[in-house]
Amino acid sequence: MLSILNETLSYTAARLSLRRKMQLDPRSLIAMGGLMSAMMAVVLLLMRRNYPPHIRGLDYWAAAPVLWLVSTVLFSARGKLPDFLTMVMVNQALLLGATVYYLGSRRFLGHGGGWSVWGGVLAASTLAFMWMTYVAPSYTLRIASFTLLMTVLYGSHLRFLWRHGARAFPCAWSRWYWRRTSWC
């Protein structure tokens, strides 16, 4: 009985030390996300080449993951590149990628435009992030501002799809899910 207990304890200790050695740091997870974005960009670019030219938006959808990849590369170079690139432009590359994705949906469904509004938002947010990085440094305010911008952008994207996405499955499913889970 004592040998079984001793064996169990040594096995547990070995597993605990193995767990400590196999922890993933956030940078490696972000790098994996960047590589998956690059693979998705390749898939979308190949789709663009094989679909007729009258189907629009696929080039925008292919550009968005490339911008997200740029963001992950800049983020992983923190400490090696200037703060402007690794703090300000990281956020802007993510925001620009999400914006291009939204504008690709607009083009795909036959609606143009959007660059004037979202281009202004990108320019203003670049200035705001520079202010929050250099003039009045505030990590909390930068995170809150970025989260608010992304929420508004994805909300605009969802609203557009609900209005113009016809009865396609993703739009119908998201409407159904939103009605079932909303509190109001």
Side-chain angles (χ1 to χ4, degrees):
M1 179 78 160
L2 191 57
S3 66
I4 293 173
L5 181 61
N6 191 18
E7 189 177 315
T8 304
L9 286 175
S10 65
Y11 174 75
T12 305
R15 291 212 18 122
L16 286 175
S17 67
L18 183 63
R19 272 192 203 152
R20 285 189 209 127
K21 291 178 187 175
M22 294 187 63
Q23 290 178 351
L24 289 175
D25 64 319
R27 287 185 187 201
S28 60
L29 293 174
I30 290 170
M32 275 182 13
L35 290 174
M36 288 189 291
S37 292
M39 290 177 9
M40 183 48 106
V42 169
V43 168
L44 288 168
L45 284 171
L46 291 174
M47 284 177 60
R48 178 68 190 129
R49 291 178 46 136
N50 293 323
Y51 275 77
H54 71 274
I55 298 178
R56 299 174 165 225
L58 290 176
D59 49 350
Y60 280 52
W61 287 342
V66 171
L67 289 164
W68 295 331
L69 174 64
V70 167
S71 177
T72 59
V73 168
L74 289 174
F75 181 78
S76 65
R78 179 81 199 253
K80 297 176 183 101
L81 292 176
D83 284 346
F84 177 74
L85 293 174
T86 60
M87 293 173 75
V88 176
M89 294 313 293
V90 164
N91 291 330
Q92 293 311 102
L94 280 173
L95 185 61
L96 180 60
T99 302
V100 167
Y101 202 68
Y102 168 52
L103 296 177
S105 294
R106 291 183 62 86
R107 288 177 53 112
F108 183 77
L109 293 174
H111 296 267
W115 272 116
S116 58
V117 172
W118 290 106
V121 169
L122 286 164
S125 65
T126 302
L127 295 175
F129 285 130
M130 287 172 59
W131 179 270
M132 290 181 272
T133 301
Y134 297 114
V135 178
S138 174
Y139 176 74
T140 307
L141 192 55
R142 266 196 341 254
I143 293 293
S145 301
F146 180 77
T147 303
L148 178 65
L149 282 171
M150 292 300 277
T151 302
V152 168
L153 179 59
Y154 284 130
S156 298
H157 197 165
L158 182 63
R159 181 174 171 257
F160 174 77
L161 289 175
W162 280 357
R163 285 184 159 189
H164 304 287
R167 296 197 182 270
F169 174 73
C171 296
W173 183 85
S174 65
R175 278 191 207 107
W176 175 83
Y177 182 77
W178 187 263
R179 286 185 193 128
R180 298 294 180 264
T181 58
S182 68
W183 291 19
C184 23

